[in-house]
Amino acid sequence: DPKIIQKPKYLVAVTGSEKILICEQYLGHNAMYWYRQSAKKPLEFMFSYSYQKLMDNQTASSRFQPQSSKKNHLDLQITALKPDDSATYFCASSQGNNQAPLFGEGTRLSVL
Amino acid sequence: QQKVQQSPESLIVPEGGMASLNCTSSDRNVDYFWWYRQHSGKSPKMLMSIFSNGEKEEGRFTVHLNKASLHTSLHIRDSQPSDSALYLCASRGSALGRLHFGAGTQLIVIP
C-alpha cells in the first residue's frame, strides 16, 4: 500500500483555471515537501513544512500556495494556471531534516 | 546556475558491466549527498546516502565522497537491465531539508 497518497494521478486544466493537488502521508513523518519535475527542468524543490509550519519556500510565484489542514496533509493550490506549469508535482515526506525524503507517485499536470 | 552537476548525461553499459556516475556540488555548505533512482514514469526512490569522506558499499552499489572537492560518484557493478533508469544526485546545504537535485544521468543497460 502506498504510504504517501497523491491525488489525482493525472490532471488536465485550462489556462487561467485553479487546481488543488492533494497529498497525505501515513508514515508519521513530521516534515513534508513539494517538488516539481518537468521536461525542461530537473527535479526542483518548491516548499517544505515541518509540524505544519512553512520552513522553506523556493517558489517565487504566489500562484502556488501550500495548505496544511492536518499534520499528515500538505496540499498544493495553484491559481491562474499557465502552460509552463505543466509538470509532475511530487509530494515527499521525511522524519526530520536528516532523513532522505520519500516521494509519492506524483500528480502529472497538463495545462492547455 | 545549477548547484548540482551530474555527468555523463547518458550512459550505455552492457549487462554485467560497470556503470560509473559522477556528481559535483557548487555549494560549499553542502553536508549531505543522496543518490536516487527514478524509473520511467515513476517517482524517485532513494538508493544510497553518504555524509562522510570515503566509500560506502551496499550490494552491487558503491558510493564515494570527497568533501574537499564536493564530488560524489556512484558505481554499479554487474549492471542489470532493471538498473536502466534516471539516476539523480541530491545535495543538502542547509538545515531546512531543501534538496538540490542534478539533472540526472540516464543509464541504459543493454542485455
Side-chain angles (χ1 to χ4, degrees):
Chain A
D1 288 337
K3 302 297 186 190
I4 301 178
I5 298 173
Q6 289 191 244
K7 299 176 190 174
K9 193 169 183 177
Y10 301 99
L11 189 55
V12 179
V14 295
T15 298
S17 66
E18 172 182 317
K19 293 293 179 187
I20 295 180
L21 281 55
I22 306 294
C23 177
E24 306 169 64
Q25 56 94 1
Y26 296 94
L27 296 159
H29 288 166
N30 57 22
M32 295 186 72
Y33 314 88
W34 278 102
Y35 283 81
R36 173 172 57 189
Q37 187 177 40
S38 69
K40 297 177 185 177
K41 291 184 180 180
L43 194 57
E44 179 183 30
F45 171 87
M46 298 180 73
F47 300 98
S48 67
Y49 267 65
S50 180
Y51 295 104
Q52 290 186 269
K53 292 185 180 178
L54 179 67
M55 299 301 293
D56 198 3
N57 177 358
Q58 176 73 359
T59 305
S61 174
S62 59
R63 297 187 299 108
F64 295 84
Q65 290 293 327
Q67 299 170 345
S68 182
S69 58
K70 298 180 187 178
K71 66 178 182 179
N72 66 327
H73 280 234
L74 186 63
D75 300 336
L76 182 64
Q77 179 185 39
I78 313 174
T79 58
L81 278 160
K82 302 177 181 180
D84 267 357
D85 296 331
S86 298
T88 299
Y89 290 80
F90 289 105
C91 176
S93 70
S94 67
Q95 185 58 31
N97 295 323
N98 292 342
Q99 192 184 68
L102 181 69
F103 285 82
E105 291 305 309
T107 292
R108 185 170 293 182
L109 172 66
S110 296
V111 183
L112 308 177
Chain B
Q1 185 178 354
Q2 194 63 27
K3 285 195 174 188
V4 179
Q5 299 288 340
Q6 289 189 246
S7 64
E9 285 187 20
S10 62
L11 181 63
I12 301 174
V13 300
E15 184 175 357
M18 172 76 85
S20 295
L21 292 66
N22 298 293
C23 171
T24 303
S25 173
S26 60
D27 183 356
R28 300 304 304 180
N29 296 317
V30 70
D31 56 357
Y32 284 70
F33 281 97
W34 286 278
W35 284 93
Y36 281 78
R37 179 165 70 181
Q38 185 177 23
H39 285 104
S40 181
K42 301 293 186 182
S43 64
K45 300 285 192 291
M46 203 276 286
L47 202 56
M48 290 188 74
S49 60
I50 190 160
F51 317 130
S52 305
N53 268 329
E55 176 181 301
K56 185 176 174 182
E57 181 177 334
E58 291 180 5
R60 297 184 294 110
F61 299 87
T62 302
V63 63
H64 295 265
L65 175 62
N66 181 327
K67 292 191 91 169
S69 60
L70 298 177
H71 179 264
T72 180
S73 57
L74 175 68
H75 305 272
I76 308 171
R77 61 176 173 81
D78 189 24
S79 296
Q80 301 298 309
S82 57
D83 293 328
S84 297
L86 181 67
Y87 287 78
L88 298 166
C89 174
S91 69
R92 193 193 75 174
S94 73
L96 297 178
R98 178 195 303 194
L99 298 189
H100 294 284
F101 282 85
T105 292
Q106 186 69 51
L107 174 65
I108 300 170
V109 181
I110 298 177

